[in-house]
Amino acid sequence: MVVMGVQNQPGTILMTVSDLSAIDAEIKVAEADVLRLHLNDRATVTLEAIPGETFAGRVVEIGASALPQVGAQAAAREFKARIRLESATDRLRPGLTCDAEILVAEKPNALVAPLQAVVERAVAGGERRTGVFVVRDGAAVFTPVSRTGIIGGLDIEIDGVPEGTPIVVGPIQVLRNLADGNRLRSVP
């Protein structure tokens, strides 16, 4: 970068010189997700300028501190991360906007349920347990899960409910008010 100026006076950018042999995607990661990132995690990057094409990459940098917040309304913190694209093409240019999906954990053949099916309820003794409502004879029955695990997209890994068991899915407000034995009807 060449800048014209005199003693701490801002100048004008005359040109930007870029090395296009290695392209990094600079992304912002929400504070809720940043601790799950690790160097060399696999990533898939998509660009608005090249729809329908994806670029594979790996995480090469994770910010140690949050980015400065802009505006009084900002509440959630974000951290900068860099993804090095493995197959840079001559169509990529510095400054293009992108989205990234980073694979932080993987478990083949895991049993998953929709996030909208998992709820926390008080059980005997006032203890709070996480579980799902299973469908038995047309009625809802709260069934605690032994463990929840990886969250991916709109699904969460669960243990303790046999595979193929019909479960109730719905808005959290409805599931909070659902009680054992409530009759159910299917909604298309």
Side-chain angles (χ1 to χ4, degrees):
M1 189 181 313
V2 178
V3 179
M4 208 169 80
V6 179
Q7 291 186 344
N8 297 332
Q9 297 296 321
T12 303
I13 296 175
L14 300 177
M15 73 176 83
T16 301
V17 179
S18 300
D19 177 8
L20 299 179
S21 64
I23 300 285
D24 289 349
E26 187 174 292
I27 61 169
K28 294 178 182 177
V29 180
E31 67 180 318
D33 298 323
V34 73
L35 295 178
R36 295 188 297 187
L37 290 185
H38 299 91
L39 292 178
N40 289 319
D41 280 349
R42 292 185 313 217
T44 303
V45 177
T46 56
L47 289 91
E48 289 183 27
I50 309 174
E53 192 169 341
T54 60
F55 298 90
R58 296 214 175 254
V59 175
V60 294
E61 182 183 325
I62 303 166
S65 59
L67 294 168
Q69 291 183 311
V70 178
Q73 299 295 330
R77 298 268 183 182
E78 295 178 318
F79 291 76
K80 182 173 77 171
R82 286 186 190 275
I83 299 169
R84 172 89 23 98
L85 301 183
E86 294 172 351
S87 56
T89 174
D90 61 350
R91 296 187 306 161
L92 298 179
R93 300 285 183 271
L96 293 176
T97 58
C98 69
D99 291 313
E101 291 182 6
I102 301 172
L103 181 63
V104 295
E106 185 174 35
K107 185 172 182 183
N109 302 318
L111 180 63
V112 297
L115 279 169
Q116 284 189 296
V118 179
V119 65
E120 189 175 273
R121 300 297 293 261
V123 291
E127 179 187 0
R128 303 219 36 99
R129 295 287 311 267
T130 301
V132 295
F133 281 98
V134 299
V135 180
R136 287 202 187 113
D137 299 324
V141 177
F142 182 74
T143 305
V145 296
S146 56
R147 184 184 70 82
T148 57
I150 300 170
I151 297 174
L154 298 175
D155 296 322
I156 184 169
E157 175 190 2
I158 61 170
D159 285 337
V161 177
E163 184 176 352
T165 302
I167 59 175
V168 178
V169 178
I172 190 68
Q173 298 85 354
V174 173
L175 292 180
R176 278 188 188 145
N177 297 325
L178 194 59
D180 279 345
N182 283 154
R183 302 297 300 161
L184 301 169
R185 62 180 169 84
S186 289
V187 177

